[in-house]
Amino acid sequence: MTNPARFDRGHTDDLMSFLAASPSPYHAVANAAERLEKAGFRQVAETDAWDGTSGGKYVLRGGAIVAWYVPEGAAAHTPFRIVGAHTDSPNLRVKPLPDTGAHGWRQVAVEIYGGPLLNSWLDRDLGIAGRLTLRDGSTRLVNVDRPLLRVPQLAIHLDRTVTADGLKLDKQRHMQPVWGLGHDVRDGDLIAFLEETAGLPAGEVTGWDLMTHSVEPPAYLGRDRELLAGPRMDNLLSVHAGTAALAAVAASSSQPASIPVLAAFDHEENGSQSDTGADGPLLGNVLERSVLARGGSWEDRARAFAGSVCLSSDTGHAVHPNYAERHDPTHHPRVNGGPILKVNVNNRYATDGSGRAEFTAACEAADVPFQSFVSNNSMPCGTTIGPITAARHGIRTVDIGVAILSMHSVRELCGADDPFLLANALTAFLQR
């Protein structure tokens, strides 16, 4: 058993606060930015001219954030050390015409985002959160963090086959949540309710990006509280750890030899192909502009990218005690065993031998144990932003993360010590 006294549960406590306060990618990047602001970082606008001054800076675009710290005297060709993560999680998202209902029930029309475990969303008290766009083009975050919606499961008495055949859910017919009673569906009800909640005049909202979330807060679990249960660990656990690591490096009296970067993207769960996704131009534009702002040339940019390294940090699979046969028989990552190094020879993960050496050096410097993960040969392997980052920018990339259970559930499970271990490993990596 892990000795809890060895670890700083303050980091995990802060992660729990971060998870609870970040029900959407837009809230997640706002909370990350707030933490970086306290560490001395300042926001720069993509539409402004950038200067080459040292210090911490960040760019916000939708549900994505890229932050970097330029040490004093950094040359234009100084390489980058990047922690990559994503801010989105599978969930139920509100459709353009949200007001619907039938048989005296008022409902909200939702679309399935990513690949959620649909059964985990049944009979949960759900809130609604996201971004409202106003008539003048500005945006406002909104978060109704109380029981507002529910996807009610069909009683077993009305479907006796479920015990023999298993639960079968139709994404269109069975996943629309209820939120009240009434025979007349009134268009605009939901948005009017959210306008009132956000303190906005009626009719001010002309666009929205809204999603549901479980209102049950994160919690320690187990006899010895050595486990952590909570929402959106995939992948806000990594966003939080990367933010903490970047802030720690910026505050250190020892200046890093490279330029440390946090890149947290949106839309990983549906392919990353957007202006805020890892397959978009955001990261490359920020890094290149940083080089040019410090007086660099295209040659300096090429030199900087060639010497750069990215740790793509995303959650992975811990060995499941009830389904051990689904895992590779010789690779059984365990919770509270330290971060995992993800390997797939078909490039579903970007790690190679040199990447393993890079991560080993960071973990040794931080005195952090790590584990190796590889998929069972008979099972398809997932993927991350790692291969996308490597291919799009030509930057050496290593896939890592924290081992969890219940991935893509409305509520996931990890070891309570692993977030702290990951943050320490990321700090050592960025400091090198």
Side-chain angles (χ1 to χ4, degrees):
M1 182 186 301
T2 306
N3 177 10
R6 177 185 166 196
F7 300 98
D8 179 7
R9 286 292 171 85
H11 177 89
T12 306
D13 291 343
D14 189 63
L15 168 62
M16 294 166 71
S17 298
F18 185 81
L19 293 172
S22 303
S24 77
Y26 314 108
H27 290 83
V29 297
N31 289 323
E34 181 180 4
R35 282 165 161 76
L36 291 172
E37 289 272 358
K38 291 178 179 177
F41 285 69
R42 61 182 177 88
Q43 184 176 2
V44 293
E46 293 185 82
T47 53
D48 291 345
W50 292 3
D51 59 49
T53 56
S54 59
K57 304 170 186 179
Y58 68 91
V59 165
L60 287 181
R61 182 192 288 187
I65 182 171
V66 180
W68 66 103
Y69 177 78
V70 180
E72 290 284 352
H77 62 269
T78 300
F80 301 94
R81 296 183 77 80
I82 305 160
V83 171
H86 68 88
T87 61
D88 59 320
S89 300
N91 56 19
L92 312 179
R93 302 209 170 185
V94 176
K95 288 184 175 181
L97 300 176
D99 299 292
T100 186
H103 307 290
W105 293 97
R106 293 184 185 274
Q107 295 175 274
V108 173
V110 297
E111 190 172 4
I112 310 301
Y113 178 82
L117 289 171
L118 294 179
N119 62 292
S120 71
W121 288 84
L122 301 178
D123 296 331
R124 295 273 186 177
D125 295 336
L126 304 176
I128 195 166
R131 178 179 66 173
L132 303 173
T133 302
L134 311 186
R135 289 190 176 277
D136 62 2
S138 63
T139 59
R140 181 78 61 86
L141 297 184
V142 65
N143 181 15
V144 183
D145 195 32
R146 65 170 177 85
L148 179 70
L149 306 149
R150 186 180 180 92
V151 183
Q153 188 167 190
L154 183 66
I156 192 171
H157 313 81
L158 303 179
D159 184 10
R160 296 290 185 178
T161 65
V162 71
T163 54
D165 301 335
L167 180 64
K168 298 178 181 179
L169 295 170
D170 184 283
K171 293 180 179 179
Q172 178 62 43
R173 292 187 294 122
H174 300 152
M175 297 306 298
Q176 308 306 311
V178 300
W179 77 305
L181 299 174
H183 289 282
D184 297 323
V185 174
R186 295 191 293 268
D187 288 340
D189 265 6
L190 178 67
I191 299 306
F193 166 75
L194 294 176
E195 286 175 331
E196 182 180 0
T197 300
L200 295 169
E204 186 66 17
V205 172
T206 56
W208 51 87
D209 302 280
L210 299 167
M211 58 208 70
T212 62
H213 66 276
S214 171
V215 299
E216 184 180 2
Y220 287 109
L221 185 144
R223 185 193 67 180
D224 298 319
R225 295 162 54 90
E226 71 265 60
L227 300 172
L228 175 64
R232 299 177 294 281
M233 291 185 189
D234 177 15
N235 185 34
L236 295 188
L237 189 158
S238 295
V239 175
H240 176 263
T243 302
L246 182 59
V249 171
S252 173
S253 58
S254 176
Q255 291 286 284
S258 301
I259 296 175
V261 180
L262 169 67
F265 302 101
D266 202 352
H267 302 133
E268 189 272 347
E269 297 293 356
N270 62 9
S272 295
Q273 292 185 323
S274 71
D275 68 324
T276 54
D279 203 19
L282 179 59
L283 176 60
N285 286 349
V286 169
L287 300 185
E288 185 172 333
R289 290 185 68 178
S290 174
V291 170
L292 298 177
R294 284 176 280 120
S297 63
W298 179 259
E299 181 72 10
D300 291 313
R301 181 260 188 210
R303 292 174 66 187
F305 278 43
S308 297
V309 186
C310 174
L311 290 189
S312 165
S313 182
D314 202 346
T315 53
H317 303 296
V319 61
H320 197 301
N322 299 336
Y323 300 91
E325 73 281 0
R326 301 296 182 97
H327 300 265
D328 182 85
T330 60
H331 294 74
H332 281 178
R334 302 179 185 277
V335 298
N336 286 337
I340 56 175
L341 179 74
K342 302 179 182 180
V343 178
N344 180 265
V345 295
N346 294 301
N347 285 346
R348 300 292 286 173
Y349 302 131
T351 307
D352 60 10
S354 65
R356 179 184 178 90
E358 187 74 54
F359 189 55
T360 298
C363 289
E364 287 179 346
D367 191 25
V368 166
F370 75 91
Q371 312 172 79
S372 294
F373 171 83
V374 65
S375 289
N376 186 309
N377 286 333
S378 299
M379 307 288 292
C381 180
T383 191
T384 68
I385 65 167
I388 295 172
T389 303
R392 183 170 183 84
H393 305 295
I395 290 175
R396 185 159 53 107
T397 303
V398 189
D399 271 297
I400 66 161
V402 162
I404 70 171
L405 293 182
S406 306
M407 186 182 294
H408 285 199
S409 171
V410 73
R411 199 165 173 83
E412 298 162 324
L413 184 71
C414 76
D417 298 328
D418 282 332
F420 176 66
L421 293 173
L422 174 65
N424 282 355
L426 296 182
T427 301
F429 166 76
L430 293 178
Q431 188 69 57
R432 285 167 55 82

